[in-house]
């Protein structure tokens, strides 16, 4: 009987547990390293994101683990509204409410990771709880055939130099506030004034000057079906100060309620019904991410080769929901490639796998994120796509199709190419679509609202 190949995975978040499970199923003897034990990973830290999988990434994840959350809330579309001004100058600009043409689901990353860790252990994986520094990593990499680093944006990421040609931003583009809340169902009456799909559609409010606010169905690790709020404040905006002032789960909830009262009063009465998940004091998070692409293969002090996965390789601004999705796609492809590779896992081979991922998903995911961040590169896209989406549901669906299949954005660069994209989606000339656009005469409000 042949001795199984060995693999080490450092970091037991979503990327690490996904890779560890995939590798043990591929026949490797796998050791997973974490500076926290299993209970602490699940209960003593905040969720680092909403881990929404849109369409195609769910298919990639299914190559690693079965669907454990079929009974949890799902989302099938996006009720989108664009606002401007504040106070007496506040105005409703445009809105659209497409179905995705796919199914999305947001699941607590702590739950996803814990379920993967449990299956990993059940299948014979080894879990070692200890902090790993660069010297430790050197020794670990020397003892294993394959070593993957999944310690996120900090930790051991410094081993992997920033790829300056692929990294567009040198500072965060948004200040973030995340909080999970409960108290609203997900049926047709929930937010029914915004969407015929009710609670099956996410709420996406955009403000021309201040940022974006997303509220979507979510599966919390303890409370189950809930709602997750993600606020994205532009630097220097009044939202940034609000989000930064949050200190605990209760101030997070109050900040969200006050935020909707002041900026999106049509929705405020519904948001006021949302309450904190008292059993989880870590159900909130503030911070900021500098979108960064790293060279995903490094060497330790003794020359051992290690590879980065997940946020350690590519850190995304969360606005377009590409972080967890990119992780699922990257890890599934890497596990498949490793399974079929008989030779050594050299720097050249691992670099080739990352280049394949960058060319098929990573680059496109970064560009879709730039589109939704309002990057000047995509000014003409926003100028044309949002008005077209307002009058053509197929165009609106195609716009959010980028979240599931970001590669479809690549090659749409010029005004003419954007117009051709609109025409193909709408099934009629883009000029005819755009000619029907008119600014909103006012958004429908919650029946309880006094706007």
């Amino acid at each position: 009987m042949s001795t199984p190949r060995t693999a080490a995975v450092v970091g037991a978040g979503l990327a690490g547990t996904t890779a560890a499970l995939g590798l043990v199923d591929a026949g490797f003897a796998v050791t997973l390293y974490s500076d926290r034990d299993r209970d602490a990973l699940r209960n003593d830290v905040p969720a680092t994101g909403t881990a929404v999988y849109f369409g195609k990434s769910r298919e990639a994840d299914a190559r690693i683990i079965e669907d454990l959350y079929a009974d949890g809330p799902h989302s099938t579309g996006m009720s989108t509204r664009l606002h401007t001004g504040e106070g007496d100058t506040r105005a409703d600009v445009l809105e659209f409410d497409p179905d995705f043409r796919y199914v999305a689901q947001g699941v607590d990353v702590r739950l996803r990771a814990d379920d993967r860790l449990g299956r990993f252990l059940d299948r014979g994986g080894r879990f070692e709880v200890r902090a790993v520094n660069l010297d430790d990593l050197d020794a670990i990499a020397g003892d294993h055939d394959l070593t993957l680093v999944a310690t996120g944006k900090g930790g051991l990421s410094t081993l992997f130099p920033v790829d300056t040609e692929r990294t567009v931003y040198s500072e965060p583009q948004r200040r973030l506030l995340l909080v999970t809340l409960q108290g609203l169902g997900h049926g047709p009456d929930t937010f029914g004034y915004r969407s015929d799909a009710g609670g099956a559609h996410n709420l996406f409010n955009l403000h021309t000057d201040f940022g974006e606010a997303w509220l979507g169905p979510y599966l919390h690790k303890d409370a189950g079906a809930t709602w997750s709020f993600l606020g994205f404040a532009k630097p220097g905006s009044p939202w940034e100060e609000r989000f930064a002032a949050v200190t605990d789960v209760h101030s997070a909830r109050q900040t969200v309620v006050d935020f909707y009262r002041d900026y999106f009063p049509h929705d405020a009465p519904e948001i006021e019904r949302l309450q904190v998940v008292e059993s989880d004091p870590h159900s909130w998070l503030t911070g900021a991410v500098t979108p960064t692409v790293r060279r995903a293969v490094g060497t330790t002090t003794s020359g051992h080769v290690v590879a980065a996965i997940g946020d350690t390789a590519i850190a995304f601004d969360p606005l377009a929901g590409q972080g967890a999705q990119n992780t699922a796609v990257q890890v599934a492809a890497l596990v498949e490639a490793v399974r079929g590779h008989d030779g050594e896992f050299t720097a050249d081979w691992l670099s080739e796998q990352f280049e394949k991922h960058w060319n098929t998903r990573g680059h496109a995911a970064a560009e879709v994120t730039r589109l939704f961040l309002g990057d000047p590169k995509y000014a003409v896209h926003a100028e044309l796509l949002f008005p077209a989406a307002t009058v053509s549901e197929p165009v609106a669906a195609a716009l959010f199709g980028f979240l599931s299949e970001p590669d479809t954005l690549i090659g749409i660069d010029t005004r003419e190419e954007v117009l051709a994209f609109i025409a193909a989606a709408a099934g009629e000339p883009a000029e005819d679509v755009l000619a029907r656009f008119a600014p909103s005469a006012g958004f429908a409000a919650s029946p309880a609202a006094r706007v």
Side-chain angles (χ1 to χ4, degrees), residues 275-298:
Q275 302 297 324
V276 303
V277 179
E278 295 284 0
S279 64
D280 182 11
H282 305 291
S283 58
W284 66 282
L285 182 71
T286 61
V289 177
T290 299
T292 306
V293 183
R294 295 184 179 273
R295 300 189 184 279
V297 178

Side-chain angles (χ1 to χ4, degrees), residues 75-285:
S75 58
T76 58
M78 191 85 77
S79 174
T80 306
R81 290 177 168 182
L82 178 64
H83 311 250
T84 193
E86 61 179 322
D88 293 340
T89 66
R90 189 186 62 79
D92 304 334
V93 181
L94 57 80
E95 65 179 326
F96 47 93
D97 177 39
D99 284 324
F100 284 143
R101 312 296 199 264
Y102 54 79
V103 175
Q105 187 175 32
V107 176
D108 196 324
V109 290
R110 298 167 296 183
L111 178 60
R112 284 197 194 272
D114 185 67
D115 284 335
R116 284 150 213 255
L117 178 56
R119 278 158 178 72
F120 169 75
L121 294 172
D122 289 344
R123 294 169 193 177
R126 181 181 175 213
F127 183 45
E128 188 166 326
V129 180
R130 66 180 176 99
V132 174
N133 60 29
L134 289 173
D135 290 337
D136 299 326
L137 182 65
D138 184 42
I140 289 169
D143 290 338
H144 293 83
D145 297 315
L146 173 66
T147 300
L148 303 178
V149 178
T151 52
K153 306 170 188 71
L156 301 172
S157 64
T158 55
L159 187 64
F160 306 95
V162 173
D163 189 327
T164 56
E165 293 184 0
R166 291 174 172 172
T167 298
V168 175
Y169 304 109
S170 59
E171 58 189 8
Q173 300 302 292
R174 297 290 190 271
R175 175 84 186 193
L176 309 173
L177 171 62
L178 180 153
V179 59
T180 300
L181 300 166
Q182 60 184 349
L184 283 174
H186 298 84
D189 293 334
T190 303
F191 302 113
Y193 59 94
R194 286 188 58 145
S195 172
D196 290 341
H201 279 197
N202 304 282
L203 271 61
F204 194 31
N205 287 313
L206 302 90
H207 194 285
T208 56
D209 301 311
F210 301 149
E212 302 82 17
W214 176 87
L215 186 77
Y218 186 68
L219 186 66
H220 182 269
K221 67 182 181 69
D222 302 320
T226 49
W227 289 84
S228 184
F229 169 85
L230 261 175
F232 306 88
K234 292 184 178 181
S237 74
W239 294 7
E240 184 177 37
E241 183 177 352
R242 289 188 184 221
F243 295 171
V246 172
T247 57
D248 57 25
V249 66
H250 292 281
S251 64
R253 184 260 173 190
Q254 191 59 51
T255 293
V256 171
V257 169
D258 292 341
F259 171 77
Y260 275 88
R261 287 170 177 165
D262 292 342
Y263 293 97
F264 311 122
H266 300 84
D267 300 322
E270 312 307 314
I271 302 303
E272 290 168 359
R273 295 166 58 192
L274 290 167
Q275 302 297 324
V276 303
V277 179
E278 295 284 0
S279 64
D280 182 11
H282 305 291
S283 58
W284 66 282
L285 182 71

Side-chain angles (χ1 to χ4, degrees), residues 356-441:
K356 288 179 180 177
H357 171 67
W358 176 256
N359 292 327
T360 57
R361 177 80 190 203
H363 175 224
E367 292 303 301
V368 165
T369 302
R370 293 178 70 184
L371 166 64
F372 281 93
L373 283 170
D375 189 287
K377 175 180 178 180
Y378 290 101
V380 69
H381 296 66
E383 173 194 341
L384 298 173
L385 286 172
F386 276 75
T390 303
V391 295
S392 171
E393 199 271 350
V395 173
L399 173 60
F400 289 119
F402 293 145
L403 302 181
S404 170
E405 299 180 74
D407 56 293
T408 55
L409 176 64
I410 302 302
I412 306 174
D413 299 316
T414 66
R415 175 177 289 268
E416 290 71 25
E417 288 165 342
V418 177
L419 291 171
F421 175 82
I422 291 171
E428 60 178 310
E431 292 78 5
D432 293 350
V433 175
L434 292 166
R436 296 199 300 273
F437 171 71
S440 174

Side-chain angles (χ1 to χ4, degrees), residues 293-308:
V293 183
R294 295 184 179 273
R295 300 189 184 279
V297 178
T299 55
T300 65
T301 54
S302 298
H304 303 300
V305 177
V306 295

